[in-house]
C-alpha cells in the first residue's frame, strides 16, 4: 500500500485495517481498527489531520483532504468517487456515491447524504435524515430503504475487506 510521509509525519494504520494496494495515504492520517480504504482512494493530510474511525470504509476513487481536522466517524461509509474536504462526518453516516462534503460541514450520525449531493461549507446536517440536492438543503427523515443501508453497509464492507485481504493477488 502506498503510504507517504509529508514533512516528517507519516500515516498511522491499525494492523486490523485493510488498505487496497492502489489506495494512497499521505501525511497525518490516522486509520483505526477494521477500517477499509478501497482502490484508487486518496487520503491526503498535508494541511492538517485526517482521522478515520473504527469500522469506516472509504470506497473506490474517493478523495479526502483537510485544511485543519477532518474526522470520519465510526462505521461511516464514504461511497465511490466522493470528495470529502475538511469536515466532520458523524457515526454510521453514509455518504452516497459521487457526493461532495465541503469545508467545516457537519454530517449528523446515521445520516445519508444522497448520491451526487453537495453539502456546502459550514452546513449542519442533522442526525438520521437524508440530505438531498446541490446544494443539499432538503433534509427528510430516513426511509425504510435508506435506514437499511445506514444500518448494514459498514458491516458488509468490513466483511468484504476481509475477503479482499485474503483473496486478491496480482496477475502476471
Amino acid at each position: 500500500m502506498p503510504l507517504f510521509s509529508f514533512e516528517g509525519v507519516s500515516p498511522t494504520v491499525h494492523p486490523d485495517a485493510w488498505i487496497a494496494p492502489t489506495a494512497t495515504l499521505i501525511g497525518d492520517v490516522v486509520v483505526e481498527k477494521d477500517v477499509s480504504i478501497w482502490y484508487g482512494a486518496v487520503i491526503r493530510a498535508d494541511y492538517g489531520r485526517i482521522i478515520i474511525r473504527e469500522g469506516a470504509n472509504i470506497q473506490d476513487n474517493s478523495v479526502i483532504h483537510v485544511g485543519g481536522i477532518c474526522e470520519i466517524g465510526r462505521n461511516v461509509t464514504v461511497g465511490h468517487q466522493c470528495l470529502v474536504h475538511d469536515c466532520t462526518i458523524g457515526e454510521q453516516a453514509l455518504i452516497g456515491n459521487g457526493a461532495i462534503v465541503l469545508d467545516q460541514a457537519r454530517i449528523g450520525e446515521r445520516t445519508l447524504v444522497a448520491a451526487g449531493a453537495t453539502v456546502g461549507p459550514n452546513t449542519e446536517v442533522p442526525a438520521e435524515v437524508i440530505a438531498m440536492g446541490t446544494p443539499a438543503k432538503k433534509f427528510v427523515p430516513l426511509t425504510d430503504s435508506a435506514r437499511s443501508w445506514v444500518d448494514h453497509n459498514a458491516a458488509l464492507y468490513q466483511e468484504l475487506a476481509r475477503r479482499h485481504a485474503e483473496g486478491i493477488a496480482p496477475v502476471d
Side-chain angles (χ1 to χ4, degrees):
M1 79 187 99
L3 302 177
F4 297 94
S5 73
F6 178 73
E7 296 179 343
V9 180
S10 298
T12 303
V13 177
H14 191 283
D16 293 333
W18 180 74
I19 312 296
T22 59
T24 304
L25 283 64
I26 303 156
D28 194 1
V29 178
V30 176
V31 176
E32 293 185 351
K33 181 180 180 184
D34 293 330
V35 165
S36 59
I37 300 175
W38 293 81
Y39 305 93
V42 175
I43 301 172
R44 180 165 55 93
D46 48 8
Y47 281 121
R49 173 174 265 198
I50 297 170
I51 304 165
I52 304 173
R53 297 287 181 202
E54 183 175 338
N57 63 91
I58 312 303
Q59 295 178 11
D60 309 71
N61 295 316
S62 286
V63 173
I64 301 175
H65 188 238
V66 67
I69 296 178
C70 183
E71 184 170 353
I72 310 300
R74 290 172 45 99
N75 295 315
V76 162
T77 292
V78 174
H80 308 286
Q81 294 187 324
C82 293
L83 172 61
V84 174
H85 197 270
D86 203 28
C87 59
T88 301
I89 300 178
E91 186 171 326
Q92 203 153 352
L94 193 156
I95 310 303
N97 295 341
I100 298 170
V101 183
L102 294 173
D103 304 55
Q104 311 312 302
R106 298 185 64 79
I107 307 300
E109 293 182 1
R110 298 183 44 74
T111 287
L112 190 150
V113 175
T118 298
V119 178
N122 300 305
T123 300
E124 295 266 345
V125 180
E128 297 201 24
V129 299
I130 302 171
M132 298 179 282
T134 301
K137 292 189 180 216
K138 182 176 181 182
F139 307 143
V140 300
L142 288 174
T143 63
D144 288 343
S145 174
R147 187 175 310 282
S148 181
W149 281 104
V150 168
D151 287 344
H152 302 292
N153 204 71
L156 291 171
Y157 265 82
Q158 288 165 19
E159 176 56 29
L160 187 57
R162 283 188 272 284
R163 290 177 54 207
H164 277 258
E166 296 170 0
I168 64 166
V171 176
D172 293 331

